[in-house]
Amino acid sequence: MIKAVIFDFDGLMVDTETPAYHAFCKVYGEYGKELPLEMYAQCVGTSFDVFNPYTYLVEILQHSVEYEVIREQVNVQYRELLQHIQPRPGVVNYLKEARVMGLKIGLASSSYFNWIEPYLTRFDLHGYFDSINTADLVQQVKPDPELYLLSLQKLEVRPEEAVSFEDSLNGFKAAKRAGLHTVIVPNEMTSTFPFEFYDMKIPSMEAVELKELVKQLEKRDIARKL
């Protein structure tokens, strides 16, 4: 029986990832350069340790522009794009439905808490979560499974009793490695990513009620055991 749901944040609950990519693309374009999505995808859902789009632009411009200048240019574009951002469709309903169903609710994010917290406050989401785990609390972020393993420990559930909701490949890999059920809810930017071997993939949380989704996953578990 499924006892918990664990959500990613960036790109999944609030799509901060698509605007970030657009902001980088705009600044790259101003310098006559391009940032291919397949290259940028390396850092989606994880940290810039894998691929840093700031330092990459500095390098291809042969250090003619300073890192901090590029960083501020991107931040200006990003802040403008984030002004009217809202939770993705169906997110709040899933949180409410999980509460009604008696499920434990966790958040597992590769971002730092000081990035996520203002959004949780702005959209009044704090009270839904039994456990919030961010980059501040682990040695390795996604695709390493540490964030999910910590979430499972705090929620006091086994991997097979929890469902992960992710939008990125790195997040999906982390949940898969931790042994959770995996549900992919891609956003505008990650919709073309090559996801494989997930349990379910839905276009948005409006597309399937949480109760029905959990029922389908539990049925599949029973079928596998027969």
Side-chain angles (χ1 to χ4, degrees), residues 92 95-96 99 104-106 123-130:
V92 175
L95 293 172
K96 290 179 178 178
R99 274 280 172 255
K104 295 179 180 180
I105 306 174
F123 301 126
D124 197 24
L125 300 177
H126 269 290
Y128 289 105
F129 296 100
D130 300 298

Side-chain angles (χ1 to χ4, degrees), residues 139-158:
Q139 294 296 315
Q140 299 290 331
V141 294
K142 304 168 186 176
D144 190 279
E146 187 177 359
L147 276 162
Y148 275 107
L149 295 174
L150 179 60
S151 296
L152 292 170
Q153 178 185 341
K154 289 186 175 181
L155 294 173
E156 299 181 327
V157 295
R158 298 191 300 272

Side-chain angles (χ1 to χ4, degrees), residues 13-167:
M13 300 192 75
V14 179
D15 187 7
T16 56
E17 290 176 346
T18 301
Y21 178 58
H22 289 326
F24 277 110
C25 285
K26 187 169 179 60
V27 172
Y28 270 65
E30 290 172 354
Y31 287 102
K33 303 295 182 181
E34 293 185 357
L35 178 60
L37 179 55
E38 59 269 23
M39 182 177 288
Y40 183 76
Q42 298 174 79
C43 66
V44 177
T46 183
S47 70
F48 284 158
D49 291 342
V50 179
F51 170 74
N52 190 319
Y54 296 108
T55 56
Y56 178 70
L57 182 55
V58 171
E59 290 167 5
I60 61 178
L61 291 174
Q62 300 181 334
H63 300 270
S64 60
V65 181
E66 294 182 3
Y67 177 95
E68 288 303 324
V69 172
I70 292 172
R71 186 178 182 86
E72 181 54 30
Q73 289 173 331
V74 172
N75 285 345
V76 168
Q77 298 294 335
Y78 193 30
R79 285 194 295 268
E80 184 177 335
L81 291 170
L82 289 177
Q83 283 182 5
H84 304 293
I85 200 166
Q86 293 291 324
R88 289 185 63 194
V91 166
V92 175
N93 283 341
Y94 261 40
L95 293 172
K96 290 179 178 178
E97 200 174 349
R99 274 280 172 255
V100 171
M101 294 169 65
L103 299 174
K104 295 179 180 180
I105 306 174
L107 189 154
S109 171
S110 292
S111 295
Y112 287 94
F113 184 73
N114 63 3
W115 165 258
I116 290 174
E117 197 280 331
Y119 289 105
L120 296 178
T121 299
R122 177 177 169 185
F123 301 126
D124 197 24
L125 300 177
H126 269 290
Y128 289 105
F129 296 100
D130 300 298
S131 171
I132 295 176
N133 296 295
T134 56
D136 316 69
L137 302 179
V138 293
Q139 294 296 315
Q140 299 290 331
V141 294
K142 304 168 186 176
D144 190 279
E146 187 177 359
L147 276 162
Y148 275 107
L149 295 174
L150 179 60
S151 296
L152 292 170
Q153 178 185 341
K154 289 186 175 181
L155 294 173
E156 299 181 327
V157 295
R158 298 191 300 272
E160 64 271 21
E161 296 174 328
V163 182
S164 67
F165 292 88
E166 284 283 356
D167 67 288

